[in-house]
Amino acid sequence: MTETASPKAPAATDVVLRVAGLTKRFGATLALDKADLALRHGTVHALVGGNGCGKSTTIKVLAGVHRGDEGRIEVAGTAWDVDAYDPRAGRAAGLRFVHQDLGLFPQLSIAENFAFDAGYPTGPGGRVQWRNLHRRVAELLTTYEIDADPRTPVGALRPAQRTLVAICRALQDQEGDERLILILDEPTATLPQHESDVLLEAVRRRADQGQTVMMVSHRMPEVLSVCDDFTVFRDGRTVAALVGQRPTEHELVRHMTGAALARTIDESVVPGALDGDTPVPADDRPAAEPATAAADDDVVLRVQDLHGGPLRGVDLELRRGEIVGVAGLVGSGRSSLLRTIFGEHRPASGRVTVRDAAGRVHADGDPRTRMEAGVAMVPEDRAGEAAFAELTIRDNLSVTVRRKYWRLWGMSQRQERADAADLVARYGVRAASADAPFTSLSGGNQQKVVLARWLQRQPSLLLLDEPTQGVDVMSRADIYRTVQEAAAGGCTVLVASSDLLELCSLCERVIVLQDGRVAAHVSGAQLTPDHLTVLTQSTTEPPSPTLQGASR
Amino acid sequence: MSVTDTPPLQSPGSGDTGADDRISPPVSTAGAHGGVKGLLERHALLLLLVAVAAFFSFNPASGDIFFTQQNASVLLGNQATVALLALAVILPLVCGYFDFSLGAIAATSTVLTAGLMSFNDLPLGLAMTVGIGVGVLIGGLNGLLVTRFGLNSFVTTLGMATLLGGLIQWYTGGQAIVNGLDPRLAQFGSTTLLGVPQVVYVVALIAALLWYLLAQTPFGRGLYAIGSNPRSAALVGIRVQRSVWTTFVLAGALAGLVGVLALARSGSATADPGTGLLFPALAAAFLGATAVRPGFFNVVGTIIGVLFVSVSVSGLTLSGASTWASPVFNGAALLVAVGLSHYLGRSRGVRTT
């Protein structure tokens, strides 16, 4: 641990929240290993680190969702051993949380959202004193510089205002002495740039007035612009506590990943990738350059200057039999890219062309025409977007090829049964029978069924969004093998995942998305989880004004 | 009118249309098809039907009349319209949508068919076509409101039913239409073929076609997939909005036909808003969802449901029970059936809501 205390290190009395030696195990995994954290009064404190470094676990222990195994927590002078600490203790001591999902009711007014937290002011007979409530909430909104009427439904507010309302609500019972500690979990993850600027400015102003704030964020430029102190976690340990310093992005990233990797950031970022103007993204492999017409026939998916939703000019080319990964933070456009390619979202501008197995090129279309062109998609949300929970495994398998079984006298159940049994055996689905309900399967086996559903169509392009989310280790290996076999058979695979290790073990190359653009291409020896962490977290220097102008 | 097939989601934030008003069948036992218990569950309603029929046949109070070909004929003829309306009801229900206006559509069709012949001297064929055509139009409108505009199906069709009930009152002036009807229609409704009323053959034919559509075509399979999870359905290339719209249109057409058959059976059109027909049909549909393919609305189960309720009520009536016995039995049977399947589903650890 490299404790880097500055000369103006805080006096012990200045610390309002201290976590010391916090350890938390999940089974065999050590999520937190004697982690330390100290917040100074009236500062904005950043808690940063790569995926799985223990940030979320720390927050969950503080919120009382998980109970720590060892360590001490000290809030505003009161100290607990972690096994004596519970949600109520944290709240009573003044911890307030605003999670990424803000927990607001979008249809209800701001005032009512406040009232659900703090209770409605009632008069005789339990009547709600609306005027009282609205006046109090209006005062709070003024204090927090939120320009909105308490009667406005929360859903009508701008995204940054919504987050501010959630913050204001969390702090609403704060009296004049500013003793509450606000903990923000990735407050800007889903916000566009200008919205997060608005939000961060407001947070900064609160801190200047004496509010203590801790925020978790992956966006380095943001934390650098607003935070006073930084705590960096790696593998469940505190590797750096930078108090009252102004570290550079490289310094932070070096702490997050270990020293050696940070150097490679600049080398692997594609020159000009951020200006959205490169028609063919540079690639580390010379063979990938579409130099000849013959090589061009090999391109299964071509995405050109794709805009829409979070996507802001994505260019991409995938060849036959390639497995390509998509890395990026939440909100970087990972899922949107896949969904737009599959035709679920219509792009605002740009082109997506797909070459089917017969060599015909298809321009854009809806999911159905995409399917006919040989595209398959396994969505991220298995329960919500892939499963037919009440139907049988057989129904879940045959749903993509229903027409195949239709004879004049009806559906050929015999053939359907035989095919389903084949698929279940071939993809190693552990099920009592193909006629069992889909929900009787474990997560991993459900995912195998979803994958088999698509692979039986022998797609030329397979889009996988978080393919092993909620999947056990054994099934995960099966799924990787299945995907690799499909690719070996000529299927092109595009995998979006937040599991960087997964991308590294599965893919030949990975593109990194940042703010809806391809920020980097990684392949070969550079393809390591640590390196990807560096690339997803950091931003390079913004493109020069002239380049930016040219891209628009 | 047509519905283009827009994907139900343009953006993740907008939510899928009508997701909040989607309903699930009373049970979702999801068919653990193996084992004696599963077999028993699938055929419980049929066994119950046989048991009830046997009981009333041997019960001295009702046996003499109950177990006669004549009683069976009357029973089938009277239940033909309810059965057909129940079949219409399950079409949107398979996709997870209610259509409460089907009873009113049937009543509108009855009144309009009768009125066109009586007031406007239109020929029978044209009057029938208009009656059924109105069903198609209203079904199409319902479907459009529910899919394209994402309105809640429960409320939309309830509003439509009320509206149609009012229009029926206005059109008939509250009077029954008895005169000026083509006698061939009533004749068709009252004649029997091989001892079975002719309308029953119409219902049987349509039941067979619907069974084929729902159980034996890719389209029907798609409808069940939509009923299970519309988001997933859209992502495996099923045209969700168009399919749902089609079920509303088909249901409207069938309800229109129910109206014509009702006119044929009764020989006159009363200014009834049609709820008297709808609730037994809904009850039969939900009863049917506990049988044959438990957890799913299905054609054969629905027919068994209709027969079960009507046989029981007929037996009770013949045994001397009063007129209130029929609705009481209807309601009780539905509650017991739904409760039982819910319990069975839960005991197997399957999600039931």
Side-chain angles (χ1 to χ4, degrees), chain A residues 339 342 344-346 366-368 371 377 379 383-392 395 398-400 402-403 406-411 416 435 437 453-454, chain B residues 5 7 9-12 28 30-33 212 215-219 221-222 224-229 231-239 293 296 350-351:
Chain A
R339 286 166 179 277
F342 194 57
E344 197 201 348
H345 297 324
R346 230 168 269 283
D366 63 358
R368 197 184 172 96
M371 279 170 65
M377 185 175 82
E385 303 200 308
F388 298 103
E390 297 90 3
L391 302 182
T392 61
D395 285 325
S398 66
V399 71
T400 53
R402 285 165 298 144
R403 231 154 277 279
W406 194 33
R407 314 278 183 273
L408 195 60
W409 64 86
M411 304 295 276
E416 197 188 333
D435 282 333
R453 166 199 292 176
W454 288 109
Chain B
D5 197 55
L9 264 194
Q10 292 298 342
S11 69
S28 98
H33 292 300
Y212 182 80
Q216 300 296 329
T217 64
F219 176 77
R221 290 294 193 81
Y224 282 106
I226 293 169
S228 173
N229 187 341
R231 296 279 301 124
S232 300
L235 286 179
V236 293
I238 295 171
R239 299 204 151 114
R293 202 181 165 204
F296 299 93
V350 176
R351 185 170 66 89

Side-chain angles (χ1 to χ4, degrees), chain A residues 44-303:
Chain A
V44 182
H45 193 109
L47 178 58
V48 294
N51 279 327
C53 70
K55 301 183 304 269
S56 311
T57 313
T58 307
I59 298 232
K60 281 179 180 155
V61 169
L62 285 174
V65 178
H66 295 320
R67 179 156 293 198
D69 295 324
E70 286 163 38
R72 284 179 71 73
I73 294 171
E74 188 184 322
V75 185
T78 322
W80 295 267
D81 281 328
V82 281
D83 34 336
Y85 182 85
D86 63 14
R88 241 176 301 167
R91 187 172 172 88
L95 293 187
R96 293 292 182 273
F97 296 85
V98 173
H99 297 282
Q100 200 178 330
D101 162 32
L102 302 172
L104 296 169
F105 300 91
Q107 294 92 342
L108 300 181
S109 70
I110 299 176
E112 286 197 86
N113 270 285
F114 274 73
F116 276 122
D117 208 43
Y120 286 90
T122 50
R127 191 184 63 84
V128 174
Q129 292 175 325
W130 289 106
R131 200 175 305 176
N132 240 341
L133 175 67
H134 286 144
R135 195 184 51 234
R136 192 173 67 83
V137 172
E139 281 166 11
L140 278 165
L141 292 178
T142 317
T143 317
Y144 284 78
E145 299 167 52
I146 304 168
D147 180 24
D149 187 277
R151 293 171 191 81
T152 321
V154 164
L157 297 175
R158 285 168 46 199
Q161 281 185 316
R162 253 175 265 166
T163 312
L164 281 172
V165 164
I167 291 174
C168 180
R169 181 177 72 168
L171 299 175
Q172 65 177 317
D173 46 356
Q174 175 163 266
E175 298 301 327
D177 58 350
E178 310 283 355
R179 63 187 177 86
L180 293 184
I181 299 165
L182 176 65
I183 296 176
L184 301 171
D185 189 5
E186 297 209 45
T188 59
T190 53
L191 297 183
Q193 189 62 50
H194 55 278
E195 291 289 324
S196 57
D197 290 347
V198 172
L199 175 64
L200 292 170
E201 266 171 45
V203 168
R204 185 65 252 176
R205 275 199 300 276
R206 296 309 302 163
D208 292 343
Q209 291 167 31
Q211 178 73 52
T212 311
V213 182
M214 178 167 90
M215 65 184 266
V216 171
S217 176
H218 284 289
R219 295 188 177 179
M220 290 305 123
E222 287 180 3
V223 292
L224 288 167
S225 70
V226 295
C227 296
D228 306 291
D229 301 348
F230 301 84
T231 298
V232 185
F233 275 15
R234 187 168 76 224
D235 300 329
R237 268 176 235 139
T238 308
V239 293
L242 312 170
V243 177
Q245 299 180 3
R246 290 255 153 246
T248 64
E249 190 171 326
H250 278 194
E251 272 179 79
L252 271 188
V253 170
R254 189 159 52 233
H255 286 305
M256 284 162 58
T257 57
L261 279 151
R263 242 181 309 118
T264 55
I265 305 172
D266 301 319
E267 294 160 21
S268 52
V269 170
V270 179
L274 283 177
D275 62 37
D277 213 1
T278 24
V280 180
D283 199 300
D284 294 57
R285 302 180 315 158
E289 293 293 329
T292 63
D296 211 44
D297 280 349
D298 226 25
V299 174
V300 172
L301 170 71
R302 176 168 287 154
V303 176

